[in-house]
Amino acid sequence: MADQKQSIHGVWASRWVFILAATGSAVGLGNIWKFPYMAGVYGGGAFVAVYLLCIALVGAPIMLAETVLGRRGRQSPINSLRSLAYTAKASPRWAWAAVMGMIAALLILSFYSVVAGWALDYIIGMGQGSFTGISGEGAATRFATLTDDPWRLAGWHSLFMLVTAIIIARGVVAGLEKALRIMMPMLFVLLVALFGYSLSTGHFMEGVRFLFHFDLAEVPAGILAAMGHAFFTLSVGVGSIMVFGAYMPRESSIAGTVMTVALLDTLVALTAGLALFPVVFAAGLEPSAGPGLMFVTLPIAFGNIAMGQVFGLLFFMLVAVAAWSSAISMLEPAVAYGVERSGRSRVAVTAAIAILCWLVGMGTVLSFNVLAEARFMVADESGWRLFAWTDAGGKTFFESIDYLTSRILLPLGGLAFCLFAGWVLSRDALREELSLQHPQLFPVLLCLLRYVAPAGVAIVFVTELFK
Ligand code: PFF
């Protein structure tokens, strides 16, 4: 029977480990680096409001769909979808959604590793006290010196990728579970310490106002950005949550578990925002600095306030730990699939995929220096063009991959997973996997999966097209 399947890769010790793993995957650079800078760029409260709505109505239902599909299928996302489609007498082509997701996850990992590498560099910098008393110009120069140096970037990128690969190669229980049991409590303690610190800056309420002040007029600008980010931050649409669902023990209730993960992720993003903006305001800086917010603005702030060095060091350690627990989840779907398909050892498969990903990541490394002028996606009057040597508009390699994954591939993947769980999987299978404590909720969840979440993705896409 399909529902009696066991994963060949291993099973988590309990549903708590799934929560650790899924939260570890969800909480990452997206919460600490991307969320605050995007909120800054897109005007604060308006972006936050749309983001929260997208999490509740689209992101969380898709996370639910992925977990159900993973646990039902008990294999890598591609093979899970293929076998579930077979059981439901649906087209095996559904598996292509998981192929796309797997590629998206590897593309994300390729740039994620580079940005996480910056954090590693900053841990050393903070430890050496090189930010103490730093000026705005000094911090900008330090960041530029780092990003201008392809060798230094490549070194950190390689180290980050190597550690990620080692954890994955050790396997689900000995690698993933063990690493998560150490990393997640650390993350929690670091975040609480930073939050306490920001409360003491005297600018806490300014941060609150910035994040929650809502102006309707500012909503349209950031709609697709907010929705793309809801996918990115919950790690949905790529199969990461699905593969973790495949390792979930049978007895655990999915709906409650998924709610916990989505809430924790949102809580961490808001806490990170509330920990970060007061520090920015305390130093009299602007919140709209863009991707450099965490690496330029924050170090100035940390360099010029009491105890800044200690908390700065803690902060970048937090970023690194959170990034690693996410990075492993991007690699797992491809590694699980590679092992199932080739029958080779986990170590060999992990090495091959990590090297490939590392190579693509070198594109991002170079997009900050040698290839800084090259544009890989350019939109002009004649539509979209790829590859152009021009600095007029357009996106660098890094920006193109970020855009392609967050704004296009993740929502499309999520849409497919959600439609599959809502329409292709039989109602009985869905009901059985959800094992709801309150069965009255079933129609509500079904409605979210069938109509609300897919409509949400569709509306945002169409709105963007006709803007
Ligand atoms: N959710 C992660 C973050 O917020 O940093 C990013 C991420 C992890 C995206 C895993 C996709 C993924 F598969």
Side-chain angles (χ1 to χ4, degrees):
M1 252 169 72
D3 53 341
Q4 294 305 321
K5 278 190 195 146
Q6 276 304 331
S7 153
I8 59 163
H9 309 285
V11 178
W12 306 122
S14 70
R15 107 185 164 102
W16 286 107
V17 184
F18 172 82
I19 294 184
L20 275 188
T23 310
S25 166
V27 173
L29 294 176
N31 305 60
I32 309 173
W33 163 66
K34 245 183 159 186
F35 172 74
Y37 94 66
M38 289 181 86
V41 170
Y42 291 106
F47 174 84
V48 177
V50 180
Y51 158 84
L52 291 176
L53 211 65
C54 289
I55 295 269
L57 295 180
V58 182
I62 293 177
M63 192 180 236
L64 191 76
E66 280 199 37
T67 316
V68 164
L69 297 177
R71 195 169 71 171
R72 194 85 184 159
R74 289 276 183 225
Q75 300 166 68
S76 64
I78 297 177
N79 285 330
S80 286
L81 282 196
R82 194 174 287 150
S83 79
L84 292 175
Y86 180 81
T87 314
K89 301 195 174 54
S91 163
R93 289 208 194 92
W94 280 101
W96 282 102
V99 175
M100 188 181 77
M102 183 182 84
I103 295 171
L106 295 178
L107 286 176
I108 294 175
L109 179 58
S110 76
F111 75 75
Y112 209 82
S113 168
V114 177
V115 177
W118 300 348
L120 298 181
D121 190 274
Y122 273 56
I123 293 179
I124 305 292
M126 280 287 170
Q128 290 172 335
S130 48
F131 292 98
T132 312
I134 203 163
S135 65
E137 211 176 311
T141 310
R142 194 192 182 284
F143 185 58
T145 314
L146 169 65
T147 51
D148 280 350
D149 184 348
W151 292 103
R152 197 157 139 200
L153 291 187
W156 290 119
H157 165 49
S158 311
L159 178 68
F160 186 86
M161 196 63 95
L162 183 70
V163 174
T164 309
I166 290 175
I167 300 177
I168 284 289
R170 292 174 61 89
V172 172
V173 178
L176 285 169
E177 186 167 329
K178 208 154 153 204
L180 287 162
R181 281 182 193 273
I182 303 169
M183 289 198 276
M184 296 312 286
M186 227 168 108
L187 202 134
F188 181 75
V189 171
L190 288 173
L191 195 65
V192 171
L194 279 168
F195 185 70
Y197 177 62
S198 101
L199 275 177
S200 74
T201 56
H203 292 259
F204 188 72
M205 285 321 286
E206 255 174 278
V208 173
R209 225 168 294 128
F210 180 72
L211 279 179
F212 298 108
H213 167 78
F214 179 76
D215 184 351
L216 206 61
E218 283 172 353
V219 169
I223 263 197
L224 186 63
M227 167 136 108
H229 188 63
F231 279 87
F232 186 88
T233 193
L234 289 182
S235 314
V236 294
V238 295
S240 287
I241 297 295
M242 203 188 294
V243 81
F244 283 177
Y247 311 148
M248 193 169 173
R250 170 132 306 281
E251 313 73 53
S252 358
S253 131
I254 288 185
T257 311
V258 164
M259 280 287 285
T260 312
V261 176
L263 273 177
L264 280 174
D265 183 74
T266 310
L267 214 68
V268 173
L270 295 177
T271 312
L274 288 176
L276 210 135
F277 285 115
V279 180
V280 172
F281 290 128
L285 300 164
E286 279 303 312
S288 58
L293 182 70
M294 194 174 96
F295 294 99
V296 179
T297 316
L298 258 196
I300 312 173
F302 282 129
N304 291 287
I305 38 186
M307 300 276 286
Q309 188 184 345
V310 176
F311 282 97
L313 180 68
L314 285 180
F315 178 81
F316 286 104
M317 284 167 61
L318 169 77
V319 175
V321 172
W324 260 311
S325 64
S326 298
I328 51 183
S329 76
M330 297 173 206
L331 203 49
E332 182 61 23
V335 169
Y337 178 67
V339 170
E340 286 164 12
R341 167 137 197 170
S342 70
R344 287 181 203 278
S345 76
R346 218 180 140 85
V347 175
V349 173
T350 308
I353 299 174
I355 290 174
L356 201 75
C357 218
W358 177 87
L359 272 174
V360 181
M362 286 307 291
T364 289
V365 162
L366 298 178
S367 73
F368 290 99
N369 33 70
V370 181
L371 295 179
E373 301 295 305
R375 294 295 176 269
F376 286 78
M377 288 170 89
V378 184
D380 58 19
E381 314 77 56
S382 52
W384 280 96
R385 271 186 300 133
L386 295 178
F387 309 113
W389 285 96
T390 161
D391 57 1
K395 297 183 191 316
T396 63
F397 186 80
F398 159 62
E399 289 162 349
S400 306
I401 295 211
D402 182 22
Y403 185 87
L404 180 73
T405 49
S406 288
R407 310 268 176 112
I408 300 169
L409 298 182
L410 265 53
L412 281 184
L415 179 66
F417 297 154
C418 195
L419 290 176
F420 191 93
W423 295 96
V424 178
L425 203 65
S426 74
R427 274 188 196 216
D428 290 338
L430 186 63
R431 191 176 283 122
E432 191 183 307
E433 285 303 331
L434 287 173
S435 46
L436 292 170
Q437 276 162 352
H438 303 285
Q440 318 81 285
L441 282 180
F442 184 73
V444 180
L445 292 180
L446 192 64
C447 174
L448 280 172
L449 289 177
R450 285 191 156 185
Y451 307 106
V452 180
V457 180
I459 290 171
V460 176
F461 263 128
V462 173
T463 320
E464 279 302 311
L465 276 182
F466 294 102
K467 207 156 80 171

